[in-house]
Amino acid sequence: VWVGYHPLIGGPDWLRVHRAVWLRNVETGDCTLHDFLPAKTAPSDVVPMVFGQPIDGRIRSVPSMKIAAVRDGDSSKSENDPSSFLRTYTCPPPFGTLQCVTTALHASTSVSKANREWDTAIRLVTNDCWRYVDSLVKSLCVQ
């Protein structure tokens, strides 16, 4: 279980304020990214959040195969595609830390349960990607 620090979608690479959980299966080498972000990422859609209003969010799980396809130049993805930022993602994340080691079964059940129970209204400081990661890591790293 890794926590990675990434740029915001559409933000500069050096501003790594978005957090995500990476689950890496050491037997297969597969990774899955789990994070919580706005349902719509256009600036006009996220401005209300900056002023303390909740906005719709979504929990995202991205398998390593999709990340690799985008990173390696999947021609079906344009630079304007919201997933094009995945070009900078690698597993384990270069800007991240190992949190714990767990079993595949525990990881699967923990992620499913945490995602089912998570409130998907984003409120900065109280219910955002940082809180999502903290909550998910807590459930993944306690067995």
Side-chain angles (χ1 to χ4, degrees), residues 4 27 61-62 81-82 96 104:
E27 292 175 6
S61 296
V62 184
D81 186 283

Side-chain angles (χ1 to χ4, degrees), residues 32-108:
T32 306
L33 164 79
H34 300 274
D35 65 354
F36 179 54
L37 65 160
K40 297 178 182 176
T41 57
S44 60
D45 295 318
V46 296
V47 166
M49 176 178 64
V50 175
F51 292 102
Q53 298 174 11
I55 65 169
D56 291 337
R58 67 183 175 99
I59 295 169
R60 177 177 61 174
S61 296
V62 184
S64 57
M65 296 165 297
K66 180 173 180 179
I67 294 168
V70 172
R71 191 179 57 243
D72 297 339
D74 179 347
S75 61
S76 68
K77 302 290 179 198
S78 73
E79 288 298 321
N80 296 326
D81 186 283
S83 67
S84 66
F85 78 98
L86 291 172
R87 290 184 208 293
T88 63
Y89 281 37
T90 59
C91 183
F95 297 95
T97 54
L98 178 65
Q99 302 297 307
C100 67
V101 176
T102 189
T103 66
L105 177 61
H106 179 72
S108 176

